[in-house]
Every structure is written in C-alpha cells, then in structure tokens.
Amino acid sequence: MDLTDLIITVVKTAVIYIGMIQVVPLMLIVERRGAALIQDRPGPNRVGPFGLFQPIADVIKMMMKEVIIPSQVNKALYLLGPSLVLLPASLVIAALPFGDFFSVFNKPYLLQVANIDVGILYVLAIGSLGIYGILFGGWASNNKFSLMGAMRATSQIISYEIPLGLAACSAVLWYGSFSLREMVVTQEGTLWGVIPNWGVFCQPLGFLLFFIAAFAETNRLPFDLPETEAELVAGFHTEYGPMDFGTFFMAEYMNMATMSGLMVAMYFGGWHLPWIADATLLQWLGSRNILAILQVVTVVTKMAFFMVVYVWVRWTIPRFRFDQLMRLAWKNLIPLGLFNIVLTAVILYLKGAA
Amino acid sequence: MEAFLPVGILFILAIIISAGLFTVKRLLGPRNPVPAKLAVYECGVTPESSARIPFQTGFYLIAVLFLLFDVEAAFFFPWALVYKESLAEGPALLIAMLIYMALLVLGLVYIFRKDCLKLN
C-alpha cells in the first residue's frame, strides 16, 4: 500500500463516515415531518423553507444548553456512556457495501470502508458492544428510572441478538459466505427468470426475523421499552443533558442506518437494480465511475426506503408490554429462527441432490 | 490484516467525532450549578432512597440464557459456511446439525416449562 492508496482510503473512509452522520439531521426532519403527516398536523415548518433547517436549529439549541453533571452520578462511567454508544455505532458501518468499486488512475477501490471477509460476524460483534454504553450510562446515573431503562435495554437487545444471529446464519447458509460483498454479488440475476434473485425472495422468513429484530436492536417503536416515556420518563438517558441525549440519538439513527444497510445488502440485492445485469449497465453507461455513482444512489435509495419504514412503523403500531416483548423473542422468533435454518439446510440439500 | 487498516482509520475518525461532541458542549454551554438542579430526578419529588437497589432476578436469568444460546448459535456459523461445499459428500453434516438442533430445542423447551422468562 503506497501513499496514494493510503490517501484515497482515508478520504473514502471519511466521506462514508461523514455521509452516514448526515443521516441524523436528515432523519430528524423526516421523522418529525413524517409523524406530523401521519397524525394530520403541520409539524415543524417555521425554520427555513418547509422547516428544512429545523435540524440545524435543534443542534444549535442542544449545544448552547447548560451542561449538567448531577451530583449523585458515578462521574467517569456517566461521562463515558454516550461516547461508548456512539463508537460501536460508528464502527459497524465499516462492513457495509455501498457499491462495487470505482477506479482512480486505473486502480480499483472498493466502495466500502473495509472488505472484511467475516463482515456479518463483525457487524454482530461490534454492534452488540453498544450495550455497554447504555448499561454504564444507566447505572452510573444513580437514578431508578435510568437503572430500569438500562436493564430493560440490555435484556431486550441481548434477547433480540439471538434471532438476529439466527437469521444472519441462514443467510450465511444460503450465500455460503460471511462477506456482505460476496452476498451482494451472489444476488445478481433473476430467480427462474422472473423475479430478482434477491435474498428477500430466497429467505422470506429470515428477512422477516431480521426485520423485526432490527427494530428491537435499535430500540425503535414498537419495541422502545427502554425509553417508554409514560413509565420511565426517558429511560437510560433520564439524567443526561441535551448534547449527551443528542449523542445517544445520533447513535440510534446511525444504528438504524446500519441495520437498513444490512437488510439492503443481505436481502434486497445491495447495489443491483432488478432485472438489469451490471455488465449491461456498464455497457450503457460506458464508464466504471458513472456506474459506481449509480450503484451508490441505488443503495442509498433502498436504505432511505427502510428509514422511512422505520418512521412509518413507529407511528402506526402501538408499543408492546415488556413481558410480551420477551415472549415474542424467546417463544416465537428464536424457534422460528432455528426452523428457518433447518428449512434452508434441507432446501439446499435437496437442490444439491437434484 | 491489511483489510482492517481502514477500520483503524474509521476508529480514529469516530474517536475524533466523539471527543469533539464531548468538548463542544462544554465550551458552548453556560455553567450555573445550583444544588436543586444537580439533584437526582424523581419527577420533582425529593428522592426516597438510593438507586443502587437490587433488580429483578428475571433480568439476570435472561442474561444467563442469552449467554448459553448465543454461544450455541455461534456454533452454527462455521457449520453454515462449510455446508454448501460439503453437500457433495452426502447428508452427514445435515444430520449432525439436526441432532445438535434437537438438543438446542430441548433446552428451549426446558426453559419454557420452567417458566424462566417470567418477568414480574
């Protein structure tokens, strides 16, 4: 790896990371306007044209507010909490493929931070580290609401990790690879010449499990039990000031974006357009780099769809009760996940035998 | 190892962003601490007792079960990776996995029968 490579890698990483951070202000406005749309009210529409500058105003407000470190907290862990949630949320985006590759000076560079060959395991492993931040923050706050919120968050996230892992496992079984890039490459073409060869058609049950578990992993409604405002004030971040809350919020939205990215890569064909092969597109467009831009647009559009679904579901489905949530994970999703693995294995065996 | 170099770069960037957020709020925000402001929040009421209270054993039980099941689920991953290539050699791997799966389901049924997941 020479200097040009290093510079391009650093710039690429920075662009992808900054791009993923932009999800936060974008989602802030989409979420609030989306909620308003569903609830039939105008929503924030005063700052800038159509209220588009609302996120900027929100961020400025958060930053200018007073920083309060309550007297009863365990200071080191309390201060560490938000950063410990944000760090894993930032790191998991490394495995997401945004496109095939682009070329600079006739040298190919992958449209991905790092082509990790154990991609999906990396995401599961790093993603679950975020619990530590929540647990540290909640416990160190020395507040009963925070403690309960943190306990709930932890047990919810670890419980839904298992269906998530099992769904990912059947995807690994189907594609025969851990690498998200490999999975996307395998999804090119069509199934029986009619429908796109996407994971969602080959692994419908796996996708459903992954989709449900993704909501629980990111603490979104209908599974936002850690922050039920009616029972726990604000859950694990009750004692945190505005910008710390902002950091938790940022981590939540980045996790949502990562989960959407994973669903796109594993089940919705990543950068592939349905029914059009990459080689054909390259012929039409004539240039690798234009194709790369098109691929990034495709992936981002698919991710944006899932982000809107998150908002849509949030304002449509009421919240679960905590024991219902646990029962859903252990009694329904885990047996279904195991069943899905057996089903996939048997189908693969029959396909191989035929 | 070189595949993980960009992850290192990303880690440094993430640290910079976290540290930046951490510093900016301290630089911009005013500071005017008074005891009432710094007190523990309990809906405006004077706090009754410390929050360092014992919590339900149900949560502990879930953590233990998670540990068991996640480790067991982790065993599926290497199997899933080699399964497709081993198809030519007959159903040996499929049967082995089915036996393992049966044991796992047995454990799951045991948990349900013992009502381990009852919170409250």
Side-chain angles (χ1 to χ4, degrees), chain B residues 16-63:
Chain B
I16 292 170
I17 294 275
S18 309
L21 284 174
F22 195 84
T23 336
V24 158
K25 69 180 179 208
R26 264 160 196 73
L27 289 180
L28 290 180
R31 301 270 353 233
N32 182 21
V34 289
K37 232 188 237 176
L38 301 181
V40 57
Y41 179 77
E42 272 197 26
C43 309
V45 185
T46 317
E48 275 284 305
S49 57
S50 164
R52 301 275 182 260
I53 42 172
F55 53 86
Q56 273 188 38
T57 42
F59 289 117
Y60 178 72
L61 218 53
I62 284 176

Side-chain angles (χ1 to χ4, degrees), chain A residues 109-171:
Chain A
Y109 294 95
L110 298 178
L111 270 165
Q112 188 177 13
V113 172
N115 184 21
I116 308 165
D117 44 7
V118 287
I120 186 73
L121 280 187
Y122 169 85
V123 171
L124 289 178
I126 303 287
S128 52
L129 288 180
I131 298 172
Y132 283 108
I134 293 177
L135 200 54
F136 281 4
W139 183 81
S141 294
N142 205 347
N143 178 320
K144 284 156 205 154
F145 298 119
S146 299
L147 181 73
M148 283 174 206
M151 295 312 293
R152 279 184 174 192
T154 313
S155 46
Q156 170 183 335
I157 292 177
I158 61 177
S159 291
Y160 279 82
E161 201 115 287
I162 306 174
L164 196 78
L166 292 176
C169 185
S170 22

Side-chain angles (χ1 to χ4, degrees), chain A residues 11-304:
Chain A
V11 170
K12 184 182 73 177
T13 311
V15 166
I16 291 178
Y17 184 41
I18 304 290
M20 285 297 270
I21 290 180
Q22 296 320 309
V23 165
V24 182
L26 273 175
M27 277 310 289
L28 220 122
I29 190 79
V30 169
E31 175 117 48
R32 293 182 64 179
R33 289 302 291 251
L37 183 76
I38 290 175
Q39 294 172 345
D40 200 14
R41 58 185 170 84
N45 61 357
R46 292 303 161 97
V47 195
F50 308 107
L52 282 177
F53 297 155
Q54 184 69 38
I56 305 172
D58 280 348
V59 169
I60 292 174
K61 182 192 81 178
M62 278 178 177
M63 282 186 173
M64 303 303 280
K65 282 221 172 178
E66 182 175 355
V67 179
I68 294 176
I69 303 172
S71 50
Q72 84 285 3
V73 298
N74 194 325
K75 214 170 166 188
L77 290 181
Y78 174 84
L79 292 177
L80 217 59
S83 308
L84 273 184
V85 180
L86 186 62
L87 269 182
S90 311
L91 281 179
V92 281
I93 65 173
L96 293 182
F98 288 93
D100 206 359
F101 61 84
F102 60 98
S103 55
V104 181
F105 306 130
N106 287 323
K107 238 182 132 183
Y109 294 95
L110 298 178
L111 270 165
Q112 188 177 13
V113 172
N115 184 21
I116 308 165
D117 44 7
V118 287
I120 186 73
L121 280 187
Y122 169 85
V123 171
L124 289 178
I126 303 287
S128 52
L129 288 180
I131 298 172
Y132 283 108
I134 293 177
L135 200 54
F136 281 4
W139 183 81
S141 294
N142 205 347
N143 178 320
K144 284 156 205 154
F145 298 119
S146 299
L147 181 73
M148 283 174 206
M151 295 312 293
R152 279 184 174 192
T154 313
S155 46
Q156 170 183 335
I157 292 177
I158 61 177
S159 291
Y160 279 82
E161 201 115 287
I162 306 174
L164 196 78
L166 292 176
C169 185
S170 22
V172 170
L173 196 59
W174 186 259
Y175 300 119
S177 169
F178 281 141
S179 159
L180 289 166
R181 168 165 295 272
E182 285 291 310
M183 289 183 184
V184 175
V185 170
T186 329
Q187 289 175 56
E188 195 172 358
T190 50
L191 201 66
W192 307 308
V194 195
I195 41 178
N197 189 18
W198 287 357
V200 65
F201 302 115
C202 310
Q203 284 279 330
L205 187 56
F207 168 68
L208 197 68
L209 291 171
F210 199 94
F211 187 65
I212 295 171
F215 276 87
E217 286 288 295
T218 48
N219 292 338
R220 290 288 294 184
L221 261 159
F223 304 126
D224 75 334
L225 272 298
E227 332 168 2
T228 43
E229 63 272 6
E231 318 160 16
L232 291 181
V233 186
F236 58 86
H237 51 66
T238 303
E239 290 288 332
Y240 278 98
M243 204 54 218
D244 294 313
F245 164 73
T247 314
F248 280 125
F249 208 63
M250 224 169 120
E252 184 181 314
Y253 278 132
M254 282 171 76
N255 273 330
M256 277 160 61
T258 311
M259 282 296 169
S260 310
L262 277 180
M263 284 191 274
V264 168
M266 287 164 68
Y267 298 106
F268 278 83
W271 62 76
H272 296 308
L273 286 169
W275 300 296
I276 304 173
D278 269 12
T280 329
L281 269 179
L282 186 59
Q283 230 171 17
W284 287 352
L285 296 169
S287 155
R288 249 296 154 199
N289 287 345
I290 297 178
L291 178 64
I293 293 170
L294 183 71
Q295 287 174 338
V296 173
V297 170
T298 313
V299 172
V300 170
T301 312
K302 286 176 182 175
M303 278 169 72

